[in-house]
Amino acid sequence: MKQKDKKQPTPYSGRLRAISLPDVDVLDEGRESAHYKTQRAYSKHAESFKEGLELIEGRVSEIHSNYAYIIESGGTYYNATLSGRLKQFLYGSQALAAVGDRIQLDISQAPIYRVEHILPRSNTLSRYAGGSFQKEIVIAANIDQVIITSSWRMPMIKPGLIDRYICIAALEGLKPVVVINKIDLCEYPEDLEEATDYYRRMGYSVILCSTLSGEGMEELRQILKDRDSVFSGQSGTGKSSLINYLEPSLKLPTAEVSSFNEKGKHTTTQATLIPWSFGGHLLDTPGIKTINLHSNAKADIPHVFPGFESFAPHCRFRDCTHSHEADCAVLRALEEDVVPIERYDSYLRIMESL
Ligand code: GDP
Ligand code: ZN
């Protein structure tokens, strides 16, 4: 048995860097390119067979540079680099592999570990560099769901923002989960029901919870279990508190304490995949202000706005914008009160902002 260069996961000490899901305002092109690049790299590799490799499956949990990866496999962490052949696909400063990538690690040369294959991604979470080239920066790959965190009060729930987040999740190929925290601040439970009724009727998972009372927290854990999630939502809605409640060992500083240890904080600029003790992972990402999506969003919003994916196929026109068209299933649903006027207004506001 070869001596493995085991690295225990260091206790995580960063303040949760919520991904401020993008305003849908700034949208860019080229979102297919990263998927394509991985596919291409993978198929080239599959062709060239190299002897003597001892490959194990792993997952990229952190990237320190183009050549320094932390790979998790079966609970063990390996410091790894890229194989020579993968390195030839590196260009500029863009990393070839992203946090969350499923890879094959060659352990035959232990304690030197090399990433030999990057497996095709099921999705990516990206943002685009500024400037005229708008190079795609993949923040993470293979993330299952976005926990869209709102609070009932402080700050006040903003359904229009939930709608935007749901659109963005759909465009990124991530499952949205609507979480309303701080329900201890709600006097009338009917109000909560009313605020979330549409999302439930349209088939979204909605969790009403409170880190103070503990209500809804087991339900949230069940949703997170065995999946890879990223928390998103306005600051102050309680994301760090929710995570600490579920995984106290992470000790993320919440609003009360974060000002004290701002200096000593862990400063990776890259995303990190943190395992939950109950299964699955939490993706922590640096504060990213604009994860701008692709330029076709305006054309896609009529299909991905919450609930509209079930109506849009029944519109007469495939490119129906649900505004002035004849025989529009969304306008019909609006008349029949299946779609509340508030949600329809929110839809129009998103469309106008693009
Ligand atoms: P983040 O910015 O989204 O990570 O939010 P924090 O976790 O830092 O929480 C912001 C504030 O909300 C803190 O003062 C928390 O104590 C408070 N908070 C978190 N969860 C709850 C809750 O369920 N109920 C109430 N009333 N306050 C909460
Ligand atoms: Zn329509």
Side-chain angles (χ1 to χ4, degrees):
M1 188 66 195
K2 294 183 184 90
Q3 183 60 36
K4 282 183 189 162
D5 176 19
K6 281 185 192 172
K7 178 177 178 278
Q8 287 308 314
T10 41
Y12 187 74
S13 62
R15 166 143 173 85
L16 179 74
R17 292 152 303 175
I19 115 182
S20 324
L21 268 181
D23 279 339
V24 202
D25 317 300
V26 206
L27 304 154
D28 297 293
E29 291 181 313
R31 93 180 233 92
E32 303 311 330
S33 60
H35 299 268
Y36 171 71
K37 267 176 280 184
T38 341
Q39 299 267 3
R40 182 189 56 183
Y42 181 62
S43 59
K44 284 222 173 179
H45 278 285
E47 286 162 25
S48 49
F49 183 73
K50 192 169 149 191
E51 300 229 1
L53 298 186
E54 204 178 320
L55 297 177
I56 59 170
E57 304 271 316
R59 193 95 188 269
V60 177
S61 76
E62 262 180 72
I63 298 178
H64 293 299
S65 77
N66 278 344
Y67 304 99
Y69 290 75
I70 308 240
I71 306 297
E72 185 213 333
S73 178
T76 300
Y77 288 78
Y78 300 84
N79 286 303
T81 183
L82 289 179
S83 73
R85 283 166 306 141
L86 272 181
K87 278 178 192 162
Q88 67 188 346
F89 292 101
L90 284 171
Y91 60 95
S93 58
Q94 170 130 21
L96 184 68
V99 167
D101 266 328
R102 296 179 200 284
I103 57 99
Q104 288 181 334
L105 187 70
D106 174 30
I107 59 168
S108 66
Q109 308 291 315
I112 293 166
Y113 302 100
R114 288 204 179 87
V115 175
E116 282 290 330
H117 296 158
I118 301 168
L119 305 179
R121 294 169 177 163
S122 59
N123 63 14
T124 56
L125 190 59
S126 307
R127 70 186 167 97
Y128 296 88
S132 40
F133 294 103
Q134 309 282 341
K135 193 158 81 175
E136 181 178 19
I137 297 165
V138 176
I139 296 160
N142 307 315
I143 300 300
D144 301 309
Q145 55 190 8
V146 183
I147 310 302
I148 300 171
T149 313
S150 305
S151 48
W152 178 246
R153 292 290 181 269
M154 295 178 23
M156 175 98 168
I157 184 169
K158 293 183 188 61
L161 201 56
I162 298 175
D163 293 335
R164 278 184 172 249
Y165 281 158
I166 291 177
C167 289
I168 290 154
L171 294 170
E172 293 273 323
L174 300 162
K175 177 186 180 230
V177 175
V178 177
V179 168
I180 316 291
N181 186 32
K182 310 197 190 182
I183 59 166
D184 54 286
L185 301 177
C186 179
E187 224 175 312
Y188 306 104
E190 314 82 85
D191 294 348
L192 282 167
E193 289 310 316
E194 201 189 316
T196 54
D197 169 65
Y198 178 69
Y199 301 107
R200 287 187 204 276
R201 277 196 286 119
M202 294 300 133
Y204 294 96
S205 301
V206 178
I207 296 178
L208 306 174
C209 61
S210 164
T211 62
L212 288 195
S213 71
E215 276 173 278
M217 294 305 293
E218 281 317 303
E219 204 186 331
L220 177 58
R221 190 194 306 272
Q222 286 314 311
I223 285 238
L224 297 170
K225 185 172 151 31
D226 300 331
R227 300 190 179 109
D228 300 332
S229 313
V230 59
F231 279 68
S232 192
Q234 267 187 293
S235 131
T237 51
K239 297 175 294 297
S240 309
S241 306
L242 291 168
I243 293 163
N244 284 339
Y245 184 102
L246 297 168
E247 198 70 75
S249 65
L250 287 179
K251 296 194 179 63
L252 294 177
T254 56
E256 289 84 7
V257 294
S258 55
S259 52
F260 292 106
N261 51 7
E262 208 63 21
K263 269 190 204 137
K265 79 178 182 188
H266 177 78
T267 51
T268 31
T269 52
Q270 299 279 354
T272 312
L273 210 53
I274 304 166
W276 297 111
S277 57
F278 47 85
H281 295 85
L282 163 68
L283 176 76
D284 188 14
T285 69
I288 289 151
K289 290 281 178 288
T290 51
I291 300 174
N292 33 15
L293 305 180
H294 61 91
S295 61
N296 296 334
K298 186 153 189 171
D300 290 337
I301 301 296
H303 303 277
V304 301
F305 185 86
F308 287 13
E309 70 274 23
S310 53
F311 302 121
H314 303 291
C315 295
R316 186 197 297 178
F317 305 104
R318 257 190 57 202
D319 58 353
C320 185
T321 63
H322 322 312
S323 51
H324 56 272
E325 293 88 348
D327 218 355
C328 167
V330 170
L331 292 174
R332 208 177 307 129
L334 177 66
E335 265 165 43
E336 292 164 0
D337 247 356
V338 177
V339 171
I341 185 72
E342 293 83 2
R343 302 279 53 76
Y344 185 71
D345 283 345
S346 164
Y347 165 72
L348 292 182
R349 279 199 303 274
I350 294 177
M351 288 297 277
E352 278 161 19
S353 73
L354 291 172

